Amino acid sequence: DDFQPSVAYGIVSGVHRYQYPAGTLLEYADCIQTDAAINPGNSGGPLFDAAGRLIGINGRGSFEKRGRVNVGVGYAISINQIQNFLGHLKSGRIVDHATLGATVTSDEDGNVVVDNILEDSDAYRRGLRYDDQIVAFGRREIQTVNSFKNVLGIYPRGWRVPLTYQRDGQKHNIFARLAGVHRQGALEKMVRQQSPAGKPPHPRPGQPDDQPAPSHKLPAIVAQHYEARPGYANYYFNRLNRNRVLANVQTLGNFSATAMAWTLTGETSQGADFAVHISDEKGSLRLPEGESKVRFTDELRETLNPPGSGGLLAALHVWQRFLRVDPARFGELVYLGTAPPQVGAPLADVLIGTYRGAETYFYFDPANGQLLAMEFFPDEDVDSAELLFSGYHEVAGRWLPNQIEARTGNRLVVSLQIQHFLLTKPSPEQQEQ
């Protein structure tokens, strides 16, 4: 009862252990199993290795039912899962675990197969169907239903994960974006009940559950670090991290003085000439096989040229606008947290921008502020346009990429090797040429 900390010493007796929900939503996936004593009240405490490194957070134990005494088996959330979620938790957003949008079972041969799938899931859009065998997920071999749940449990909502499935003896490799386990409204209700400025966890006698209780006055030190906003546990931390990322981006140069129209020229990865022209009103991409043009409207979902690109020109337009205009004028910008821009890549800072009805994920290198990738979502029924940026070099005091690779779904659209940027207004002589 005096809340003094305690220490137990044991060994790690298992990893990748799966714990079913025990009458609650508390599913423990990919756990570390240890025989160090974990008793009621120890949840949330650290699990260290012999070198003093944090390798997990203690959360569950196997108990003798009558005395609630640990019988020698405890479970900790692995540091891998913690690292995946930490950036999202720092965003102040309401964070959710992930679902593939599909459930699996074991068939008569012991294979892990899809037994249900949502047709609006990203996995379905990318080809996964009923009865397909799950061979690998998150770069791990899948041999049991529990092994699938173990991998799924370490990811937050919104991450893209590699998945290999087999159908009729042929293997298929896809990257599927994971949805959230809960409806956003359900999570927000849970957070409101536990919010420092919301109602108490339990309503007063006679008070309906949905009737808000009087707000509690926050201590001064808490009040100055707390901002209420729908969808957030604490918007203060989101604003803090968003501004940190934007300040890092601004070190790459001042783009506000550049012209409204940009021209990028060079060669594709196949050696063919290309030219891109982007402005606030229109865009064009010229390739040997033809030219695609688009006029940007108030709804970017209506401007998805070139066909089958997921809206490449619109994505480049959003990229240019992000660099050129003050963040307050771009549109809504919030901090998502951290996620890998590509599978296996280090975690990047992620901002979500909403402009002209379309949502864009921006992935930034935390070390230097360089934009590593963009995902442009014109419509929930259309695969996003994905842009990868690399080969940054200085151009007239501004850092710009010399390569932009555009993908959509599982397909490469085009890889642009940029040889020349025209970001300033051309002279009359250049205009005549």
Side-chain angles (χ1 to χ4, degrees):
D1 294 336
D2 58 5
F3 298 104
Q4 290 298 310
S6 62
V7 177
Y9 190 77
I11 65 170
V12 169
S13 48
V15 294
H16 306 309
R17 306 292 285 173
Y18 178 75
Q19 288 285 294
Y20 289 95
T24 69
L25 295 174
L26 295 179
E27 177 184 45
Y28 280 72
D30 212 44
C31 294
I32 299 170
Q33 179 178 311
T34 177
D35 64 356
I38 299 176
N39 286 300
N42 294 146
S43 296
L47 181 69
F48 296 108
D49 68 4
R53 295 171 297 190
L54 178 66
I55 61 172
I57 294 178
N58 302 323
R60 179 173 284 185
S62 294
F63 300 105
E64 194 280 320
K65 293 184 178 180
R66 290 178 295 176
R68 289 285 287 166
V69 176
N70 189 288
V71 298
V73 182
Y75 303 95
I77 300 169
S78 72
I79 193 66
N80 295 332
Q81 183 177 163
I82 296 166
Q83 289 176 328
N84 289 349
F85 278 83
L86 193 57
H88 283 58
L89 293 170
K90 288 181 177 180
S91 74
R93 298 166 59 251
I94 297 175
V95 180
D96 196 4
H97 278 265
T99 175
L100 182 63
T103 58
V104 299
T105 190
S106 297
D107 65 12
E108 57 186 12
D109 297 320
N111 299 316
V112 179
V113 297
V114 176
D115 67 341
N116 203 356
I117 186 169
L118 298 174
E119 293 188 4
D120 60 354
S121 66
D122 197 58
Y124 187 91
R125 183 185 300 119
R126 295 177 188 270
L128 189 66
R129 294 294 185 270
Y130 288 92
D131 297 326
D132 286 343
Q133 178 187 350
I134 304 298
V135 177
F137 184 50
R139 298 192 297 176
R140 287 200 212 169
E141 185 178 354
I142 301 301
Q143 296 180 327
T144 65
V145 172
N146 280 4
S147 65
F148 171 79
K149 291 182 177 180
N150 263 338
V151 179
L152 183 60
I154 69 172
Y155 293 112
R157 174 181 188 162
W159 276 38
R160 292 183 63 213
V161 178
L163 185 150
T164 301
Y165 66 91
Q166 183 168 286
R167 182 189 305 154
D168 298 328
Q170 183 176 359
K171 290 184 179 179
H172 305 266
N173 298 302
I174 63 174
F175 294 95
R177 183 174 301 281
L178 304 178
V181 173
H182 304 91
R183 297 192 308 271
Q184 193 67 21
L187 281 177
E188 288 189 37
K189 183 177 180 180
M190 293 167 61
V191 170
R192 281 198 304 269
Q193 291 176 340
Q194 301 173 23
S195 168
K199 69 179 184 179
H202 302 287
R204 297 170 182 169
Q207 178 184 319
D209 286 347
D210 58 352
Q211 179 179 337
S215 295
H216 301 287
K217 186 175 182 180
L218 301 177
I221 187 63
V222 176
Q224 62 181 324
H225 297 94
Y226 178 77
E227 295 180 37
R229 181 171 176 176
Y232 294 83
N234 188 349
Y235 182 70
Y236 170 86
F237 292 107
N238 195 279
R239 182 168 52 80
L240 200 69
N241 279 287
R242 180 199 62 194
N243 292 344
R244 172 184 59 81
V245 174
L246 291 174
N248 212 12
V249 173
Q250 290 171 1
T251 64
L252 301 180
N254 180 13
F255 291 85
S256 62
T258 62
M260 293 179 64
W262 290 5
T263 300
L264 287 61
T265 57
E267 294 183 349
T268 68
S269 56
Q270 286 77 33
D273 292 339
F274 79 86
V276 174
H277 180 84
I278 298 292
S279 71
D280 280 351
E281 297 82 23
K282 57 186 179 180
S284 65
L285 170 61
R286 178 173 51 79
L287 295 169
E289 54 266 32
E291 184 175 16
S292 292
K293 296 182 179 181
V294 64
R295 182 167 293 277
F296 303 121
T297 67
D298 290 339
E299 294 292 332
L300 289 180
R301 67 171 65 95
E302 300 173 357
T303 56
L304 300 185
N305 280 346
S309 70
L312 171 58
L313 285 171
L316 290 170
H317 165 61
V318 172
W319 170 58
Q320 183 211 38
R321 179 176 176 83
F322 177 85
L323 292 176
R324 281 194 66 252
V325 306
D326 183 89
R329 293 177 48 222
F330 169 82
E332 184 180 24
L333 276 171
V334 298
Y335 182 67
L336 173 70
T338 54
Q342 301 182 70
V343 175
L347 297 181
D349 281 316
V350 185
L351 296 182
I352 301 179
T354 305
Y355 172 65
R356 290 188 173 181
E359 195 172 72
T360 303
Y361 284 33
F362 299 91
Y363 294 77
F364 299 96
D365 188 325
N368 54 31
Q370 292 177 357
L371 181 63
L372 303 174
M374 278 177 56
E375 292 176 285
F376 173 74
F377 299 90
D379 192 279
E380 61 182 10
D381 296 324
V382 177
D383 271 321
S384 62
E386 302 164 14
L387 276 57
L388 300 176
F389 301 84
S390 59
Y392 276 82
H393 62 295
E394 192 172 2
V395 179
R398 306 176 184 94
W399 287 88
L400 287 161
N402 63 16
Q403 180 171 341
I404 301 177
E405 181 179 291
R407 310 186 69 89
T408 186
N410 304 315
R411 184 175 63 87
L412 174 67
V413 177
V414 68
S415 181
L416 306 177
Q417 315 289 326
I418 305 169
Q419 298 172 347
H420 183 68
F421 288 90
L422 180 60
L423 308 183
T424 56
K425 295 179 181 178
S427 65
E429 292 79 9
Q430 289 174 318
Q431 288 178 329
E432 289 178 2
Q433 295 174 359

